[in-house]
Amino acid sequence: MMTFCFTGIRSFPKLWKSNPYLGLGPGRSFLSLFLEDCYGIRNQQKWFSLKTVSAQNTKAVNLLIAKARYLRNEGSSKQVSSDTHLFAAGAAKKRSQMNPHRKDDALPPVRNTIQLPTKPLNSEEWDRLKEDFKGRANFESWIISQMAQSCSSVDVAKSLLAWVAAKNNGIVGYDLLVKYLYLCVFHKQTSEIIDVYEIMKARYKRLESGGYTLLIQGLIHSDRWREALLLLEDVKKVMIPSKKNYNDCIEGALLHQDVNLAWNLYQELLGYDLIPMLKTLKAFFDFGKNIKDDQYSNKLFDILLYLRNNHLYPEESFAHSIKTWFESVPGEHWKGQFTTVKKSGQCLGCGKTIESIHLSSEEYESLKGKIMKDVIDGGDLYKKTTPQELERFQNFVKYCPPFDIVIDGLNVAKTFPKARESQVLLDVVSQLAKQNLELLVLGRKHMLTQHSRWRKDEMKMVQKQASCFFADNLSEDDPFLLYATLHSGNHCKFITKDLMRDHKACLHNAKTQHLFFKWQRGHQLAILNRLPGSKIIFQILRKREHKQE
């Protein structure tokens, strides 16, 4: 784990005094900045619509074809004409015999079928390569996917698109365009990004989320960066933009010195209850180096408070940026150093003890009461279940012994998408049952119906090893999970990938939210891996708090 120890702390106390419960004191934490972000990527809905090809689109595609032909001709002028047969069947062996030392001329064979070209090809060469392709997939989609995975040259991909366009009256499919756009963004080919942008703008009224994300990321480095903001507005018409969309727009605004826009976008991101990417926050600190601006500094202090209150832990490069910013502020005399924290929680730099994630008995009872009042009883629980079902569950818990672990059955079963869901759940329950733990599995009634993903015999084995409660299919099981865990005592832990942000939002008091995060860190388990032999690796979510001795 990494912390900072700052000397010359004049304005430092204001960081914590705005929240009395965060103040320094015995057993409280100093400015602690742990490593790594613990939040995953949220799923996004995709959408797609098409409009008639316009003259503008034809012009853009023709430009693409012309560029590809130029590059192809430039490349072919350096080759003897007899080389063209090297893309026929058996070409890989011939090339290896003729050029035994030129290992970088071609990528490794893909699935023992064909090699990805490393130079632009002409139409005849693409035709021969397609003839050599033995796969069942569409050749054009397959080859562009392989190029994207291998980060192939933009020029080679462009010659593929020119070949496709020539065969289809100037039309290049959306899938090919998006993967070509990915390569352009990866290689930072701004002019090509703009060409694809013009094509897509002319052909499609709306894109799917991946297309918008790539265009926004690619445009922010060009002089047309403000058009990325228009794309962001298009996304907002259909869905909440992703935190990456906001990150790219914020980085673009800072890159082009529009600081007010960057802060406005940041506030908009928080307004959607999105957790910002750490590199978004890092960009603000990097921009603020050597700037004497009290208003800007106060906003950076707010970011530090946000990190602390939400238990977000900077990775190492972000930690360096924070340290550098403090030391660069004109007229200040900050001095930062990297330090080590002992297992006891004591910082070797300043001697302070970091805040523990374990709750005292008083804190636990306070949190339990607040969750029961604000989340279980006072929340919108009855929109997600019925009074009868809640009463049935409360009676169920009342007559069961205290649980050691409560399992979100449906959530856990979907941890490994390629595996059968009932088998994954059985593996988890079986491994925990061997430790003589009292288990509760929360699920939904459809899990008991025979299905290719849910086998009755496996679910019966789950029920033999754990107490089970199956709610109606439309019910939310998170409130049940919190209720059972809290009523089982401070020792009880729970397993789910859900970060419980909605339930935390129901706790309107900031101090209670902070207690919830502490409790969550000490009690929520995550499944990290599934080894051969069905062995499951568990780790408590506070794994992100790396400690170095």
Side-chain angles (χ1 to χ4, degrees), residues 421-471:
E421 291 166 355
S422 58
Q423 181 63 59
V424 173
L425 182 58
L426 177 59
D427 290 344
V428 172
V429 170
S430 298
Q431 185 169 325
L432 293 172
K434 291 176 182 177
Q435 303 175 41
N436 295 319
L437 297 171
E438 194 69 40
L439 308 176
L440 169 61
V441 175
L442 295 172
R444 296 200 178 100
K445 290 179 179 178
H446 73 81
M447 296 163 61
L448 299 174
T449 303
Q450 180 68 28
H451 188 270
S452 60
R453 306 289 295 174
W454 296 98
R455 280 176 40 177
K456 276 189 175 183
D457 59 325
E458 290 173 342
M459 291 305 297
K460 285 181 180 179
M461 293 176 67
V462 168
Q463 290 173 283
K464 287 181 180 180
Q465 300 178 82
S467 299
C468 296
F469 183 88
F470 296 96

Side-chain angles (χ1 to χ4, degrees), residues 162-420:
W163 173 64
V164 171
K167 294 192 307 175
N168 294 282
N169 298 320
I171 301 298
V172 177
Y174 182 82
D175 182 59
L176 296 182
L177 281 175
V178 169
K179 289 185 172 66
Y180 175 70
L181 177 61
Y182 168 80
L183 287 172
C184 295
V185 172
F186 179 84
H187 292 291
K188 296 181 171 59
Q189 297 291 314
T190 304
S191 62
E192 303 301 327
I193 293 168
I194 292 175
D195 285 345
V196 177
Y197 172 53
E198 291 295 344
I199 294 172
M200 288 183 161
K201 188 168 63 171
R203 287 189 64 187
Y204 307 111
K205 294 179 180 179
R206 290 282 185 273
L207 309 179
E208 48 80 43
S209 59
Y212 277 120
T213 296
L214 288 170
L215 284 175
I216 290 172
Q217 184 181 352
L219 287 173
I220 61 170
H221 298 288
S222 72
D223 56 1
R224 296 174 62 175
W225 68 277
R226 287 191 180 275
E227 294 186 51
L229 303 176
L230 300 178
L231 295 175
L232 186 71
E233 292 300 317
D234 284 344
V235 175
K236 287 193 285 188
K237 293 175 183 176
V238 182
M239 62 183 292
I240 297 175
S242 70
K243 56 186 176 182
K244 175 166 175 50
N245 295 151
Y246 276 106
N247 170 77
D248 292 334
C249 290
I250 288 171
E251 286 189 345
L254 292 175
L255 178 66
H256 297 278
Q257 306 295 308
D258 195 334
V259 182
N260 291 333
L261 174 61
W263 284 116
N264 289 339
L265 289 169
Y266 173 68
Q267 290 301 323
E268 189 175 292
L269 178 154
L270 296 181
Y272 281 124
D273 200 28
L274 297 175
I275 302 296
M277 298 176 72
L278 290 183
K279 65 178 184 177
T280 304
L281 306 180
K282 179 180 182 296
F284 284 111
F285 280 90
D286 289 339
F287 185 86
K289 291 175 186 176
N290 301 309
I291 294 178
K292 180 63 175 177
D293 183 334
D294 290 341
Q295 186 178 8
Y296 195 94
S297 296
N298 288 337
K299 290 179 178 179
L300 294 184
F301 279 121
D302 288 340
I303 288 179
L304 293 177
L305 278 173
Y306 179 84
L307 290 171
R308 189 184 197 283
N309 293 344
N310 290 278
H311 289 235
L312 297 175
Y313 310 124
E315 38 75 31
E316 190 169 357
S317 63
F318 185 11
H320 276 283
S321 293
I322 296 172
K323 174 180 180 292
T324 302
W325 174 74
F326 270 104
E327 294 176 336
S328 74
V329 178
E332 301 285 344
H333 301 285
W334 297 96
K335 179 62 179 176
Q337 68 181 59
F338 288 93
T339 186
T340 300
V341 176
K342 298 168 65 176
K343 278 189 176 180
S344 63
Q346 184 183 26
C347 172
L348 296 183
C350 66
K352 297 287 185 179
T353 301
I354 64 173
E355 184 179 24
S356 172
I357 61 171
H358 300 294
L359 301 185
S360 66
S361 57
E362 293 80 10
E363 288 176 326
Y364 180 79
E365 289 301 323
S366 173
L367 177 64
K368 177 181 174 181
K370 289 288 186 181
I371 289 179
M372 290 301 300
K373 178 182 176 182
D374 296 338
V375 178
I376 306 297
D377 296 332
D380 59 351
L381 180 61
Y382 292 134
K383 296 179 182 178
K384 303 171 183 178
T385 184
T386 63
Q388 294 78 17
E389 185 174 58
L390 178 60
E391 184 179 1
R392 180 167 67 92
F393 178 70
Q394 288 174 326
N395 289 332
F396 171 83
V397 172
K398 180 179 178 180
Y399 293 106
C400 286
F403 301 110
D404 296 310
I405 295 181
V406 180
I407 302 168
D408 184 342
L410 194 58
N411 188 291
V412 166
K414 295 180 180 294
T415 302
F416 306 102
K418 293 184 179 180
R420 187 171 60 253

Side-chain angles (χ1 to χ4, degrees), residues 484-497:
T485 304
L486 289 166
H487 275 265
S488 295
N490 205 359
H491 73 285
C492 183
K493 294 178 172 55
F494 62 96
I495 304 177
T496 182
K497 292 185 294 184

Side-chain angles (χ1 to χ4, degrees), residues 91-111:
K93 183 176 180 181
K94 293 178 182 178
R95 278 198 296 274
S96 65
Q97 292 172 345
M98 295 178 62
N99 303 290
H101 302 296
R102 296 175 62 187
K103 296 181 180 180
D104 58 341
D105 279 0
L107 296 172
V110 182
R111 297 185 182 178

Side-chain angles (χ1 to χ4, degrees), residues 476-487:
E476 286 278 349
D477 49 15
D478 292 345
F480 293 153
L481 183 144
L482 291 174
Y483 181 93
T485 304
L486 289 166
H487 275 265

